[in-house]
């Protein structure tokens, strides 16, 4: 009977593989060959996104890396800086619930192909980078003869 493999290489402590791996003997000792690593990481990430409770620091790091984002890039998405993301990942500061939810939603949108949330977040980051951009409003005609407030171009 094949024993389960404690897959620590992904950076998480609670991943055990029932199958999908092979133990190979090499000149340097035993080596583990994992089948379909990308599929495995997708499944782990989906499990993290759908789990109850707050994400741990290691889980935040796993999702960030699986998204291919730096701490700075993820911080920009979540409205934080890279030092804050680093503190979340180390577990020295808890990630706020709103950032946790946004990270989960952002992951789902990117990995499941519906990029509407990603487009919104990317646009918000772009707007954050514009210095002292005025918020211009004007009164203009809508349908009919009434004037209404709208954003000026």
């Amino acid at each position: 009977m094949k024993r389960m493999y404690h897959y620590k290489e992904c950076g998480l402590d609670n991943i055990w593989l029932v199958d999908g791996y092979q133990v190979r003997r090499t000149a340097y000792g035993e080596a583990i060959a994992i089948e379909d690593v990308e599929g495995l990481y997708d499944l782990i990430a989906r499990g993290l996104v759908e789990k109850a409770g707050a994400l741990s620091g290691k889980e935040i790091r796993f999702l960030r890396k699986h998204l291919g984002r730096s701490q700075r890039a993820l911080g920009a998405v979540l409205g934080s800086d890279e030092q804050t993301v680093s503190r979340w990942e180390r577990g020295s500061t808890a990630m706020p619930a709103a950032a946790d939810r946004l990270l989960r939603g952002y992951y789902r949108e990117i990995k499941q192909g519906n990029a509407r949330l990603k487009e919104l977040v990317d646009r918000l980051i772009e707007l954050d980078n514009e210095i002292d951009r005025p918020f211009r409003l004007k009164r203009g005609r809508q349908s009919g003869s009434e004037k209404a407030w709208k954003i000026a171009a």
Side-chain angles (χ1 to χ4, degrees), residues 61-72:
R61 179 180 300 119
F62 180 90
L63 290 173
R64 175 182 61 78
K65 287 184 172 186
H66 194 58
L67 285 167
R69 301 295 188 267
S70 66
Q71 289 178 335
R72 177 176 289 174

Side-chain angles (χ1 to χ4, degrees), residues 11-153:
L12 301 171
D13 298 325
N14 59 345
I15 305 298
W16 292 84
L17 303 181
V18 175
D19 57 18
Y21 70 94
Q22 295 177 0
V23 178
R24 296 186 178 157
R25 305 229 184 275
T26 72
Y28 303 101
E30 284 188 352
I32 304 295
I34 307 294
E35 300 169 17
D36 186 18
V37 173
E38 189 64 28
L40 174 61
Y41 277 48
D42 285 342
L43 181 61
I44 292 169
R46 280 196 314 268
L48 295 176
V49 165
E50 295 173 9
K51 81 175 193 97
L55 293 169
S56 73
K58 289 181 179 184
E59 292 166 341
I60 296 165
R61 179 180 300 119
F62 180 90
L63 290 173
R64 175 182 61 78
K65 287 184 172 186
H66 194 58
L67 285 167
R69 301 295 188 267
S70 66
Q71 289 178 335
R72 177 176 289 174
L74 182 62
V77 168
L78 301 177
S80 298
D81 58 32
E82 68 185 295
Q83 289 83 17
T84 301
V85 174
S86 175
R87 286 191 295 273
W88 294 339
E89 290 182 358
R90 288 191 321 267
S92 59
T93 303
M95 177 184 248
D100 181 299
R101 290 181 191 125
L102 181 56
L103 173 56
R104 292 174 197 235
Y106 186 69
Y107 177 87
R108 287 182 104 173
E109 293 294 330
I110 289 174
K111 292 297 185 173
Q112 294 178 353
N114 183 350
R116 284 182 282 176
L117 178 61
K118 180 185 180 306
E119 290 168 8
L120 170 63
V121 170
D122 288 346
R123 177 67 181 137
L124 291 172
I125 292 167
E126 182 182 305
L127 291 173
D128 283 346
N129 292 329
E130 293 181 19
I131 299 171
D132 296 325
R133 180 177 181 261
F135 191 65
R136 296 183 303 255
L137 305 173
K138 68 178 184 178
R139 297 257 307 158
R141 297 225 183 266
Q142 297 286 99
S143 60
S145 62
E146 289 188 34
K147 285 188 172 185
W149 285 103
K150 62 183 183 179
I151 296 174

